[in-house]
Amino acid sequence: AWTCSLAPGAIDDPGRAVALARAAVASHAAASRLNTLGGALLRAGEVDEAIAALNRAIAAHGAGGMPFDWVLLAVAARGRGD
């Protein structure tokens, strides 16, 4: 699911990547899996859900998150018009 989240249009059906990422988070809500879910949601156009998942990733990381958390948050904020 992560690879499908790296660029817009990387997959024909971004909902498939979201489903995979949701399943991964359901089995173990690690920071990296939450980050992947945030990226997949972002590419699927679910910006508010993506922001929530990325904020959960940052919290789960415990040390301020990973750089990709913040990159994806910036992309989401721009897409939302913030």
Side-chain angles (χ1 to χ4, degrees):
W2 172 246
T3 302
C4 299
S5 303
L6 294 178
I11 187 172
D12 291 333
D13 181 10
R16 290 176 56 202
V18 171
L20 289 171
R22 284 189 197 280
V25 168
S27 71
H28 180 65
S32 60
R33 292 180 181 198
L34 288 161
N35 172 276
T36 298
L37 176 59
L41 287 164
L42 179 62
R43 296 306 180 198
E46 302 294 335
V47 177
D48 290 332
E49 275 191 78
I51 290 170
L54 292 164
N55 283 326
R56 286 178 57 204
I58 291 166
H61 185 267
M66 298 179 289
F68 273 122
D69 294 329
W70 294 101
V71 169
L72 291 173
L73 275 174
V75 172
R78 183 163 190 246
R80 193 167 70 175
D82 293 354

